[in-house]
């Protein structure tokens, strides 16, 4: 049997491993490539005669920075367990897990190479007609299914206990909720944006709202979140959608995942010509409508909460989630513009004037959504405000 104390895999040892595990015939000739383009991990694509798999391995540090940023290998186990849970609630939208090894920090999963990373496709002009419906269903089912409402408080707390994920949460608490609002070393922005960035650092009202949203992230344990649901974590085609990479999974506020999805859609809209933005606006309204309908259906079908039938409770909750999410969406737009981890949608705009305009809009619209989140109660209103800001 394969020795499973940690060693970092190579294209050859990853291929040897999948053979040893019996996922391919001993005699089969395999091709193996490292295809990871994310910030944190190695991803090996291993292909035989008529089968292929993905071996994802965590490194003991963050790949994007190097060994000077040590990072727990536990994240591979978190990802593997989150994928399995998401797979029970949303099998159509989750890659199948074939094998995992906590010591080696690996997950071996379904190869989704027939699909495309949605961020790449959206940048190249794809619209993915079903991505918002599928993602809305995925979020509603996994969030509702792991909440107090579905599991009851005791079961939920037991599950919550196994997903505390402090080191990955620390990354989000720093990179999303804190650093962009201070002159932090992790920040990374074009010098031409310095006036806007310095004005943001001096905006006490904005900082107060960011602090309130950070507190929600630190203290709310509504449901098992994906934790990093941007368009780079979604594989898509005209017909299929699969959500990958839940290594940031933890129990957090209901509104967080949908906020990151919609923020990344809107940043893609900022990179497009005006007459190509409509499909993205439709995705923003669709994901919210589908999330709301599916969450409501599940609430009515299976609810352990004594107050579930109390008039106004569900409506109040959904409105509260919407307002939180509007704020989280604004924060994601800000951090992807001036923080450590950018998005290609904005950075890839070649023309300097157009790119800076898109980034300035991302900052000002983001700040507006953070500050004014309490005045929004529908996705249609969000889209109308966005359209007005980019006219
Ligand atoms: N199941 C999969 N099938 C095919 N390619 C995958 C799969 N999982 C990841 N990849 C590829 O590896 C890249 C990085 O994967 P990701 O899980 O986002 O890594 P990280 O955790 O480092 O961000 C993806 O953008 C995609 O190109
Ligand atoms: C040093 S991690 C930065 C950033 O990377 C993660 O995204 P990805 O899925 O692209 O690896 C996450 O959003 C973190 O905030």
């Amino acid at each position: 049997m394969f020795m499973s104390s940690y060693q970092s895999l190579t294209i050859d040892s990853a291929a040897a491993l999948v053979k040893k595990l019996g996922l391919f015939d001993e005699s089969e000739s395999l091709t193996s490539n490292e295809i990871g383009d994310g910030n944190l991990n190695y991803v090996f694509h291993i292909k035989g005669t008529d089968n292929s798999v993905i071996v994802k391995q965590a490194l003991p540090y963050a790949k994007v920075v190097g060994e000077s940023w040590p990072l727990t290998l536990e994240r591979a186990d978190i990802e593997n367990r989150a994928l399995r849970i998401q797979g029970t609630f949303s099998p159509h939208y989750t890659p199948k897990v074939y094998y995992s090894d906590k010591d080696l920090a690996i997950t071996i999963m379904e190869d989704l190479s027939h699909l495309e990373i949605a961020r790449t496709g959206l940048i190249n002009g794809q619209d993915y007609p079903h991505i918002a419906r599928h993602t809305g269903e995925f979020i509603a089912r996994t969030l509702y299914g792991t909440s107090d409402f579905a599991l009851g408080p005791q079961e939920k707390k037991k599950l919550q206990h196994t997903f505390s994920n402090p080191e990955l949460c620390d990354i989000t608490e720093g990179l999303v909720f804190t650093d962009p609002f201070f002159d932090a070393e992790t920040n990374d922005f074009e010098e031409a944006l310095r006036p806007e960035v310095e004005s943001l650092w001096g905006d006490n009202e904005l900082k107060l709202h960011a602090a309130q949203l950070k507190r929600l992230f630190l203290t709310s344990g509504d449901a098992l979140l994906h934790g990093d649901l941007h368009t780079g974590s979604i594989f898509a085609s005209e017909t299929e959608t699969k959500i990958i990479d839940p290594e940031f999974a933890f129990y957090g506020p209901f509104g967080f995942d949908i906020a990151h999805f919609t923020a990344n859609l809107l940043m893609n809209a900022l990179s497009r010509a005006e007459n190509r933005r409509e499909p993205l606006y439709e995705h923003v309204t669709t994901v919210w409508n589908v999330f709301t309908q599916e969450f409501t259906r599940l609430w009515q079908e299976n609810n352990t909460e004594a107050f579930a039938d109390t008039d106004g409770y569900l409506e109040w909750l959904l409105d509260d989630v919407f307002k939180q999410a509007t704020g989280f969406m604004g924060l994601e737009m800000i951090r992807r513009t001036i923080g450590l981890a950018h998005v290609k949608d904005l950075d890839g705009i070649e023309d300097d004037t157009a790119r800076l305009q898109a980034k300035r809009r991302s900052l000002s619209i983001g700040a507006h959504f953070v500050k004014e989140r309490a005045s929004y109660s529908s996705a249609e209103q969000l889209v109308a405000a966005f359209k007005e800001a980019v006219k």
Side-chain angles (χ1 to χ4, degrees), residues 38-40 62 64 69 171 175 228 230 233 245 248 335-336 340-341:
N39 288 318
L40 298 176
V64 67
W69 188 340
I171 291 180
L175 297 185
D228 193 26
H230 56 86
S233 298
D245 198 16
F248 285 79
R335 78 99 171 201
R336 292 291 190 181
L340 176 95

Side-chain angles (χ1 to χ4, degrees), residues 34-45 53-58 63-64 75 79 83 95-96 108-117 120 168 228 230-235 242-248:
E34 204 282 313
I35 59 165
D37 59 1
N39 288 318
L40 298 176
N41 304 293
Y42 278 143
V43 178
F44 298 94
H45 179 260
V53 297
I54 292 293
V55 180
K56 179 167 175 179
Q57 184 177 44
K63 190 174 81 176
V64 67
R75 67 189 194 271
E79 172 160 352
L83 282 172
K96 291 187 192 72
I108 303 185
M109 69 185 108
E110 182 182 5
D111 177 18
L112 301 170
S113 305
H114 63 291
L115 306 175
E116 186 176 36
I117 289 290
T120 309
L168 281 281
D228 193 26
H230 56 86
T231 49
S233 298
I234 302 179
F235 266 110
K242 302 272 183 188
I243 317 277
I244 62 164
D245 198 16
E247 72 195 308
F248 285 79

Side-chain angles (χ1 to χ4, degrees), residues 82-97:
L83 282 172
R84 291 176 193 268
I85 291 173
Q86 290 161 352
T88 66
F89 293 115
S90 291
H92 298 310
Y93 307 136
T94 308
K96 291 187 192 72
V97 175

Side-chain angles (χ1 to χ4, degrees), residues 222-290:
D222 287 329
L224 182 63
L225 307 185
H226 176 284
D228 193 26
L229 218 178
H230 56 86
T231 49
S233 298
I234 302 179
F235 266 110
S237 71
E238 287 283 297
T239 53
E240 267 187 283
T241 307
K242 302 272 183 188
I243 317 277
I244 62 164
D245 198 16
E247 72 195 308
F248 285 79
F250 85 112
Y251 263 79
F254 277 136
F256 190 75
D257 285 340
I258 197 163
H260 279 219
F261 179 58
T262 53
N264 281 271
L265 293 174
L266 291 181
M267 286 186 282
N268 183 266
L270 289 174
S271 75
R272 289 190 179 196
E274 198 179 341
N275 64 356
R276 293 281 303 116
R277 292 181 190 146
E278 205 51 47
L280 297 157
Y281 298 149
E282 278 173 29
H283 288 337
V284 171
T285 52
T286 301
V287 73
W288 269 112
N289 292 337
V290 169

